[in-house]
Amino acid sequence: MVQALDEQQIKLVLNYDDAQRANYFLKEVVVNNEIWILKDEHGCVMLNTEDEDCVPVWPNKEFAQAWATDEWQECQAEAISLSKWFSHWSHGLADDELALVVFPSQNEQGLVFYPDELEQELKNKQKNQSAKGQR
């Protein structure tokens, strides 16, 4: 069972910079075996950079749900298992020429990954975790 985050943990993590949030994202996703997105009746929420259309992804339900305000208040946080992510999402996002914003901050800052880059990072993290024999 995935442990809910408490207020103190949430505040601490929200103060991380982009790189720290990306590392936290990779660790949490591998431990919990799921990636969180925000969806509404039209599909997943998108963010746009100057160069890319991006799907924002989060490591935990609490962080995804915190984004469901204002224009996105109708959105729901949805978990996607890593196996489903690897089998469907990575290829689908790449085919649609979409990138990912990993764990964006409340002011929409975050590291941008291409789907194949994120998949490689997650698989490397999985290998490292199983090599250590720990969560």
Side-chain angles (χ1 to χ4, degrees), residues 48-132:
N48 307 90
T49 68
E50 288 174 20
D51 310 317
E52 308 288 347
D53 291 331
C54 302
V55 175
V57 290
W58 292 271
N60 312 90
K61 180 178 185 175
E62 292 86 347
F63 296 117
Q65 204 60 57
W67 269 67
T69 60
D70 302 329
E71 68 195 272
W72 296 338
Q73 64 190 2
E74 302 300 313
C75 296
Q76 294 297 313
E78 182 175 306
I80 298 163
S81 71
L82 266 188
S83 59
K84 186 172 184 182
W85 187 267
F86 293 151
S87 65
H88 292 86
W89 281 76
S90 287
H91 306 296
L93 292 167
D95 290 347
D96 292 341
E97 297 183 9
L98 296 172
L100 297 145
V101 178
V102 169
F103 196 177
S105 65
Q106 290 303 115
N107 59 357
E108 302 186 12
Q109 296 296 305
L111 296 183
V112 174
F113 285 80
Y114 292 103
D116 57 334
E117 288 176 318
L118 183 62
E119 181 167 332
Q120 196 56 55
E121 290 286 334
L122 288 166
K123 287 182 172 175
N124 289 344
K125 188 64 112 174
Q126 281 179 322
K127 272 191 214 124
N128 292 344
Q129 293 291 49
S130 57
K132 287 179 189 166

